[in-house]
Amino acid sequence: MGSQNQFRVLFLCFIALLIGSSQAQLQQGFYAKSCPKAEKIIQDFVTQHIKNAPSLAAPLLRMVFHDCFVRGCDASVLLNSTTNQAEKNAPPNLTLRGFNFIDSIKSLVEAECPGVVSCADIIILAARDSVVATGGPFWNVPTGRRDGTVSNLVEARNQIPAPTSNFSTLQTLFGNQGLDLKDLVLLSGAHTIGVSHCSSFSNRLYNFTGKLDQDPNLDSEYATNLKTFKCKSINDNTTIVGMDPGSRKTFDLDYYRIVLKRRGLFQSDAALLTNSVTKSTITQLLEGSVENFFAEFAKAMEKMGRINVKTGTQGEIRKHCAVVNS
């Protein structure tokens, strides 16, 4: 009996180790021993390049959203497909930028510590550091994510909120990721930096309901301005417009002021005013300080960075971010 009990204890310990290895948690300084210079390498590269190309901060931040909303934060958005069926081939991702930037960082980190640091961690660290480099908030990035091996166009098309999303769709898609209405408002605040192509909102200017009409929820004076000076036709796919005009390079509260004035570019921006909770949250943010917004945005970003992460023995550490290991 004694030997049987001993065997049972050893077996249970073995099972516990297996479960622990596949369900390991993210932690601050995950690479402190395995690649102690990793985060500094990423930070230095980002700081150096964002100084010369500040417009890249917004695309890197957008990449985090688009990665985490599909299969969790596992860098599946970086994978290439020989049949053009990967996430990056989906309509929401066709205007994503920053892939080469992430590849450059990965090369530097691989040279320092081969096969240790995941592309999934690099995406989030690079986005955080790029926002900080443009004067935006710092947030903690616990690390230890592993990279996924599957990337699916259909999933990206269905799970990434579109600029044409109404409130119900936004609530559902964010809720599917464990994000609440406060997170929806805070994460929408990322629109305080960056630009959009006219094609993402021109239907609001020229053909909102299919009757060559204008979206009544868009300030008419602003709509006229856009049609006169920016998006001069519904077929304009190249002109870009600041999502936070006059302040698109500064991480601040102005985006929320613009939304309240019904001058948010997207239907998804306007949708925030159609719900009492999200509208109230915007008002509260504007009544507070920019430091408070920074702190709240940081919490939301850290929360999003934990969506369905792969840790322990799940996934892999890709050698090259665009392809799975052979």
Side-chain angles (χ1 to χ4, degrees), residues 17 49 57 60 74 81 98 102 104 127 141 157 169 171 180 183 200 211 214 234 243 253 275 293 310 312:
L17 281 171
H49 288 82
L60 290 172
D74 68 347
S81 166
I102 297 297
S104 295
V141 178
R157 187 177 61 205
T169 300
Q171 184 176 28
D180 58 27
D183 297 319
S200 293
K211 299 178 180 178
Q214 190 171 289
I234 195 170
M243 292 187 288
L253 283 162
N275 175 269
F293 167 51
K310 295 170 177 61

Side-chain angles (χ1 to χ4, degrees), residues 213-266:
D213 54 343
Q214 190 171 289
D215 183 355
N217 292 317
L218 180 63
D219 177 75
S220 58
E221 183 181 340
Y222 185 46
T224 299
N225 182 284
L226 287 171
K227 288 193 286 188
T228 303
F229 299 106
K230 293 290 185 177
C231 311
K232 298 179 181 180
S233 108
I234 195 170
N235 299 315
D236 185 339
N237 296 315
T238 56
T239 302
I240 58 174
V241 180
M243 292 187 288
D244 183 355
S247 181
R248 68 180 179 84
K249 294 182 180 180
T250 306
F251 212 99
D252 55 26
L253 283 162
D254 281 356
Y255 161 76
Y256 296 114
R257 295 188 182 95
I258 285 169
V259 169
L260 283 185
K261 292 178 181 177
R262 300 190 301 123
R263 293 189 171 193
L265 283 183
F266 307 133

Side-chain angles (χ1 to χ4, degrees), residues 283-295:
T283 302
Q284 290 170 24
L285 285 169
L286 287 172
E287 289 173 349
S289 64
V290 70
E291 290 79 15
N292 174 67
F293 167 51
F294 279 17

Side-chain angles (χ1 to χ4, degrees), residues 9 11 36 240:
V9 169
F11 178 76
I240 58 174

Side-chain angles (χ1 to χ4, degrees), residues 295-316:
E296 294 296 320
F297 181 82
K299 291 177 190 174
M301 284 300 300
E302 184 172 347
K303 182 177 178 180
M304 183 172 66
R306 295 179 180 273
I307 296 174
N308 295 330
V309 294
K310 295 170 177 61
T311 57
T313 57
Q314 300 168 324
E316 63 182 17

Side-chain angles (χ1 to χ4, degrees), residues 38 68 79 111 118 138 145 171 198 248 261 312:
C68 293
L79 286 172
S118 69
F138 173 92
R145 296 167 190 78
Q171 184 176 28
C198 289
R248 68 180 179 84
K261 292 178 181 177

